[in-house]
Amino acid sequence: MQLSHALARVSVRFDDPNLVSCAGLVPVLALAERAGLSKAAGRLTVPGPGGARGDRKVAALVAGMLAGADSIDDMDVLRHGGLGRLFKGVRAPSTLGTFLHSFTFGHVRQLDAVAADVLAGLARTAPLVPAQPGVVFVDVDDTMREVHGYAKQGVAYGYNCVKGPSTR
C-alpha cells in the first residue's frame, strides 16, 4: 500500500458540529457522578469569583485530564464539536486557570479529601474486589517529583528523601 499524496499536501479538518471526539467521557463521568464527585467537590472553599461553582470546575478538570489535556490551554478539548451538547457546565480554560490559581496548600488538602471521598464512592458503586472475609490491600503508587523554590507551600522532604509535596 502506498500513500497517494505528499504529506505536505494532506490536510485534515474536523468541522462537523456533531462530532464527538471524546465520547468515552460520557460513561466515565456518569460513574464519577454516581460515586459522588459533584457532592464532594461542592465542599471546596476556594475564595473569590474563581471559586464559584467549584464542583463543575473540578468535574471539567477531571474530564479534560481524561481527554488528554495536560495544561490549562489543552482544557479547550472539552469545547469542541458536539461535546457541549453532552455536558453542561463546561468552563473555558481561562476560567479553570483562574480557579486553580486561587488554590493554596489548604485547598489542595481539600481536593485530596474530595479524591478520597470519590474513591470510596467508586468502591461502593463499582466494586472491583469481590466481597470476601478478611482484609484486602490495594497498593496505589504515586509519583513523587522534586520541586524547587523556597516559596512553595507544603513542601518537605518525604519518605523517599525527595523534596516534594508534604504528606503530613
Side-chain angles (χ1 to χ4, degrees), residues 7 18 28 42-43 60 63 89 91 101-102 105 114 139 144 147-148 151 154 163-164:
L7 286 179
N18 297 316
V28 172
R43 295 192 304 259
R91 301 299 193 246
H101 284 292
S102 301
F105 183 66
V114 168
D139 183 18
M144 295 294 294
V147 297
H148 304 280
K163 187 177 180 184

Side-chain angles (χ1 to χ4, degrees), residues 12 19 38 41 45 51 58-59 62 72 86 102 108-109 112 120 131 135 166:
V12 177
L19 178 70
S38 291
T45 59
V58 168
V62 168
I72 293 299
L86 294 176
S102 301
V108 174
R109 290 292 185 161
D112 188 37
V135 178
S166 174

Side-chain angles (χ1 to χ4, degrees), residues 50 57 61 72-73 75 91-103:
K57 291 174 184 171
L61 288 165
I72 293 299
D73 291 335
M75 296 303 292
R91 301 299 193 246
S94 59
T95 303
L96 297 174
T98 301
F99 176 64
L100 291 175
H101 284 292
S102 301
F103 273 46

Side-chain angles (χ1 to χ4, degrees), residues 22 24-29 32 37 59-70 75 77-78:
C22 302
L25 289 176
V26 174
V28 172
L29 289 179
L37 177 63
L61 288 165
V62 168
M65 288 186 287
L66 288 169
D70 61 357
M75 296 303 292
V77 70
L78 300 175

Side-chain angles (χ1 to χ4, degrees), residues 17 23 34 123 137 146 157:
R34 273 189 244 124
F137 291 97
E146 188 171 8
Y157 287 96

Side-chain angles (χ1 to χ4, degrees), residues 2-139:
Q2 184 177 3
L3 185 63
S4 61
H5 301 291
L7 286 179
R9 293 184 182 193
V10 175
S11 167
V12 177
R13 191 173 91 194
F14 295 101
D15 58 358
D16 186 346
N18 297 316
L19 178 70
V20 178
S21 61
C22 302
L25 289 176
V26 174
V28 172
L29 289 179
L31 178 62
E33 190 60 34
R34 273 189 244 124
L37 177 63
S38 291
K39 182 179 177 187
R43 295 192 304 259
L44 284 173
T45 59
V46 180
R53 295 307 311 230
D55 56 339
R56 290 189 180 178
K57 291 174 184 171
V58 168
L61 288 165
V62 168
M65 288 186 287
L66 288 169
D70 61 357
S71 70
I72 293 299
D73 291 335
D74 290 348
M75 296 303 292
D76 210 21
V77 70
L78 300 175
R79 297 163 55 100
H80 285 266
L83 279 173
R85 294 183 191 163
L86 294 176
F87 301 108
K88 61 182 179 184
V90 175
R91 301 299 193 246
S94 59
T95 303
L96 297 174
T98 301
F99 176 64
L100 291 175
H101 284 292
S102 301
F103 273 46
T104 63
F105 183 66
H107 297 112
V108 174
R109 290 292 185 161
Q110 288 179 8
L111 200 57
D112 188 37
V114 168
D117 289 349
V118 172
L119 183 60
L122 279 173
R124 286 188 300 274
T125 304
L128 300 176
V129 179
Q132 55 188 339
V135 178
V136 175
F137 291 97
V138 179
D139 183 18

